[in-house]
Amino acid sequence: MTDLLIDPGAAHAIAEGRHGDPFSVLGLHKRGGKWVVLGFDPGAERMFVLPGKAGKPVEAVAVKGAPGLFVAELARKSDYRLRWQGHGAEWECEDPFAFGPVLGELDEYLLGEGSHKRLWQVLGAHVITHEGVLGTHFAVWAPNAERVSVVGNFNQWDGRRHPMRRRGGTGVWETFLPAIAEGEAYKYEIRGPGGVLLPLKADPVGFGSEHAPKNASVVRQIDNPTWHDGDWMASRGAKQTIDAPISVYEVHLGSWKRAPGDRMLSYTELAEQLVTYVADMGFTHIELMPVSEYPFDGSWGYQPVGLFAPTIRHGTPNEFRAFMDAAHQRGIGVLLDWVPGHFPTDAHGLGRFDGTALYEHQDPREGFHQDWNTLIYNYGRVEVSNFLVSNALYWLEEYHLDGLRVDAVASMLYRDYSREAGQWVPNKDGGRENYEAIAVLQNMNITAYGEAQGVMTVAEESTAFPGVSRPVNHGGLGFGFKWNMGWMNDTLSYMHKDPIYRRYHHHQMTFGLHYAWSENYILPISHDEVVHGKGSMLEKMPGDGEQKFANLRAYYGFMWAHPGKKLLFMGCEFAQGREWNHNQSLDWHQLEIPAHQGVQNLVRDLNRVYREVAALHVNDTRPEGFEWIESNDAEAGVYAWVRKGHAGDPMVVALVNMTPVDRAYRVGLPAGGHWTEILNTDAAVYGGGNRGNLGGVEAEAIPHHGRPHSASVNLPPLSAVWLRQG
């Protein structure tokens, strides 16, 4: 009978795991005018078909030459279950090959076109009820594979047991596995071209992962979330514009603070401890270094494998949502570092995913990052572009992220990035610009701003590429903001110098104003400035202990009064003494030392005044908000400027003395009357000498600096003083 019901070649291919379309063979089919069930389990010795709700079991016949393959004839078409026996055990299950496809025609069309905005809703692992049965639907893109199977503990990691169904020309494979539930670990076993068996692959659209060093994907339910941040979501747009005060605290979750036993904090603990701290410090936003799942701690998350999975190091997806919820309820926005520039070569990752250069370029001149030994996405492939843009939207929609800071944008924009002549492939016009990557970034920004109300995007871009924060319809990349790397490099270079030599480098501190309005800038003191032997912010400062602290306080006073939004890496707010180490907690015990406590007090007040005083933030990105009073006094090492808000807002004059000399400095003022000293980095509460102006100064009708009014202001050594009109 079996010879009439199944082709021997197909039977052998099923048993050996080589059949490219097992759904055409296994399950319930009509053959020779009869309804037959073919089942396969390589660990079974007998199979029974249990038809209907109370049908009599039908014992199947083993197919000769195909161990584990059985065939049974039914009297009529019927629902059924399978009962297996083998090695002294008996088990029952739904037949996974009895279920029809899950993906619809529209999904198939959008997947094939590479235009599915919410790719995560159709790919990955989803716990669903399908045809009345609870289980998990798996779907993955592997167009050049000869066979794809889901494997896990549930099938002894045997790819013969649960091969998937190919969906037409989309390159997508799918299957529904009954009884597979939340928390199940799985991977994909893929036979590439020529039947080559590849290393087991994690799910590119998996929502969860095992704890390192294990690296399987984990089924996680992310549907039907519970949120309590409706007020924040409705109002956040106004808090993320170029007119808003934006002060960002950059955080590496694994080393901000550790629990007893040197354990990383959970998302639940961070929702209480980190959110409370950030609120107390007055930062408006938290920026998370990447939390997309990554295999190597030393990459700090910048070499992700699971782009759709919040790292399990701190908890589950819903616990990460709870962290987001807690931040929003405290009025704090959260930005996520997003890494579309490259991915690691780990065998379980995206590299040669289906046996071919699928996500990456075949040519290493286009597809391999020499600096980081990573692979570069093939941005010109519509499915890859779709994967990345959809991932950006995923974080914004599913986790209520308030924005994305895109890592290493410069490396994406230029084909010759960090390459010598002959090591890169020009674009179609013979140039160095990466048109395809530019299109991905533009599409990401269009999608983010178009689909997620009130978000912001930020580019870490270190070149003079034009229009990074210009709208796409005006020829730009479409980002909301750009990190001002030039400002950071110039000013830190100046601050590193002994004050006696600063007169020769005076305009390193003023040069940023020549281009300050060319983009919507954020001034970044990020993690990159306190690693790899660069030392801490405190270590960068010249002088003895007291002078180091005074220099740092003066620099922060300069930064917070300078046009541009603010970003400060964790630990810099209390002048941590040593360089950042991702493997251990920040040195919170240093806050027992008054000088460190003083810097923390200063940053808290800088944030408060920056938020409260409109002149310091409303025109952060517009020239009408800034005017130099004195930019050329290199001998005195003094800088003075005006910050202006809306018409009628009190103006602020900032003065910075970058020498260790106490100065009575006459400064021209833009208006007469009283000017209140609202901040002085030499205040005793900040660790300074408490030298100031007794609460303010009176503008005298003495012309100076080209202005009809002026005042003599006491500028303590290495300090910043802010005066507010009125």
Side-chain angles (χ1 to χ4, degrees), residues 366 415 424-436:
E366 295 184 276
R415 288 172 165 267
W424 58 282
V425 179
N427 62 36
K428 63 183 179 66
D429 296 321
R432 56 196 286 259
E433 294 81 10
N434 191 328
Y435 295 153
E436 296 80 9

Side-chain angles (χ1 to χ4, degrees), residues 31-319:
R31 300 184 185 278
K34 302 175 181 179
W35 288 101
V36 296
V37 173
L38 284 99
F40 176 71
D41 189 318
E45 296 167 344
R46 301 176 72 187
M47 184 187 91
F48 297 85
V49 178
L50 311 178
K53 293 184 178 180
K56 184 178 179 181
V58 177
E59 184 167 4
V61 177
V63 178
K64 293 180 181 179
L69 186 63
F70 299 85
V71 58
E73 182 179 333
L74 300 184
R76 60 185 180 276
K77 184 178 181 181
S78 172
D79 294 335
Y80 66 94
R81 288 173 58 84
L82 298 178
R83 178 183 296 159
W84 301 91
Q85 294 177 350
H87 306 288
E90 181 175 279
W91 64 98
E92 288 188 14
C93 66
E94 300 283 351
D95 184 359
F97 297 96
F99 294 89
V102 174
L103 298 179
E105 290 184 5
L106 179 59
D107 291 323
E108 194 168 353
Y109 173 80
L110 295 175
L111 288 167
E113 190 179 60
S115 61
H116 205 301
K117 286 184 179 178
R118 293 167 178 81
L119 198 67
W120 71 91
Q121 294 181 355
V122 291
L123 299 186
H126 295 264
V127 178
I128 62 171
T129 298
H130 182 46
E131 297 177 5
V133 176
L134 183 64
T136 297
H137 173 247
F138 298 89
V140 64
W141 179 58
N144 302 302
E146 291 189 358
R147 191 208 72 197
V148 181
S149 300
V150 185
V151 295
N153 288 330
F154 50 86
N155 61 14
Q156 291 75 54
W157 301 90
D158 186 340
R160 296 174 298 169
R161 296 173 185 263
H162 292 124
M164 304 173 77
R165 173 190 280 118
R166 184 193 291 269
R167 290 306 303 267
T170 64
V172 171
W173 300 71
E174 71 162 340
T175 193
F176 174 76
L177 298 187
I180 302 300
E182 166 105 14
E184 192 75 58
Y186 70 99
K187 284 186 177 180
Y188 293 115
E189 182 185 279
I190 300 175
R191 285 193 179 275
V196 175
L197 194 62
L198 305 177
L200 296 182
K201 295 289 189 177
D203 190 343
V205 190
F207 305 133
S209 178
E210 293 183 301
H211 284 276
K214 293 183 178 180
N215 52 38
S217 299
V218 173
V219 177
R220 294 291 181 192
Q221 290 185 263
I222 64 167
D223 52 345
N224 301 317
T226 300
W227 292 102
H228 307 90
D229 63 350
D231 290 344
W232 167 265
M233 295 295 286
S235 64
R236 68 178 179 179
K239 300 169 185 174
Q240 305 201 132
T241 69
I242 58 173
D243 297 328
I246 296 176
S247 181
V248 184
Y249 187 61
E250 187 191 21
V251 178
H252 176 258
L253 292 181
S255 59
W256 177 72
K257 187 180 288 185
R258 294 287 182 103
D262 202 33
R263 173 181 60 79
M264 292 184 188
L265 296 179
S266 68
Y267 293 126
T268 303
E269 291 167 320
L270 290 160
E272 171 58 32
Q273 298 180 40
L274 175 59
V275 169
T276 299
Y277 179 75
V278 171
D280 173 69
M281 288 299 298
F283 289 97
T284 64
H285 287 72
I286 299 168
E287 180 179 313
L288 301 177
M289 291 168 67
V291 300
S292 303
E293 193 59 76
Y294 54 99
F296 176 49
D297 282 0
S299 79
W300 314 329
Y302 289 102
Q303 294 191 14
V305 166
L307 275 185
F308 289 81
T311 178
I312 192 61
R313 288 168 174 80
H314 310 288
T316 65
N318 281 329
E319 288 168 336

Side-chain angles (χ1 to χ4, degrees), residues 246-463:
I246 296 176
S247 181
V248 184
Y249 187 61
E250 187 191 21
V251 178
H252 176 258
L253 292 181
S255 59
W256 177 72
K257 187 180 288 185
R258 294 287 182 103
D262 202 33
R263 173 181 60 79
M264 292 184 188
L265 296 179
S266 68
Y267 293 126
T268 303
E269 291 167 320
L270 290 160
E272 171 58 32
Q273 298 180 40
L274 175 59
V275 169
T276 299
Y277 179 75
V278 171
D280 173 69
M281 288 299 298
F283 289 97
T284 64
H285 287 72
I286 299 168
E287 180 179 313
L288 301 177
M289 291 168 67
V291 300
S292 303
E293 193 59 76
Y294 54 99
F296 176 49
D297 282 0
S299 79
W300 314 329
Y302 289 102
Q303 294 191 14
V305 166
L307 275 185
F308 289 81
T311 178
I312 192 61
R313 288 168 174 80
H314 310 288
T316 65
N318 281 329
E319 288 168 336
F320 179 62
R321 277 178 168 144
F323 166 79
M324 292 295 305
D325 216 16
H328 289 169
Q329 290 182 68
R330 296 294 295 269
I332 297 168
V334 183
L335 311 178
L336 176 68
D337 274 12
W338 185 59
V339 189
H342 62 146
F343 58 92
T345 58
D346 297 67
H348 69 285
L350 298 180
R352 300 194 70 82
F353 187 78
D354 63 358
T356 68
L358 186 63
Y359 286 88
E360 71 274 32
H361 292 270
Q362 177 68 32
D363 189 336
R365 294 176 300 166
E366 295 184 276
F368 186 75
H369 256 309
Q370 298 173 332
D371 288 0
W372 303 312
N373 292 322
T374 53
L375 299 172
I376 302 170
Y377 288 101
N378 183 351
Y379 303 111
R381 185 159 192 164
V382 294
E383 297 94 341
V384 175
S385 171
N386 191 181
F387 173 80
L388 291 172
V389 174
S390 183
N391 179 251
L393 185 59
Y394 166 80
W395 290 102
L396 298 174
E397 288 196 343
E398 293 293 343
Y399 296 101
H400 287 194
L401 265 298
D402 301 295
L404 302 172
R405 174 269 194 187
V406 183
D407 181 62
V409 170
S411 75
M412 300 174 64
L413 296 178
Y414 297 105
R415 288 172 165 267
D416 65 344
Y417 180 86
S418 196
R419 294 178 186 272
E420 302 295 332
Q423 296 180 344
W424 58 282
V425 179
N427 62 36
K428 63 183 179 66
D429 296 321
R432 56 196 286 259
E433 294 81 10
N434 191 328
Y435 295 153
E436 296 80 9
I438 290 169
V440 168
L441 292 171
Q442 290 174 324
N443 191 10
M444 182 279 295
N445 280 312
I446 291 170
T447 301
Y449 282 102
E451 299 290 330
Q453 182 181 358
V455 299
M456 61 184 281
T457 62
V458 183
E460 185 219 9
E461 204 285 307
S462 55
T463 75

Side-chain angles (χ1 to χ4, degrees), residues 602-630:
L602 172 64
V603 171
R604 183 187 292 110
D605 281 352
L606 288 170
N607 281 330
R608 176 183 55 79
V609 178
Y610 172 66
R611 291 195 329 269
E612 292 175 354
V613 178
L616 291 170
H617 63 255
V618 166
N619 286 313
D620 262 335
T621 65
R622 289 185 285 259
E624 54 264 37
F626 178 88
E627 184 181 332
W628 278 116
I629 296 175
E630 177 55 80

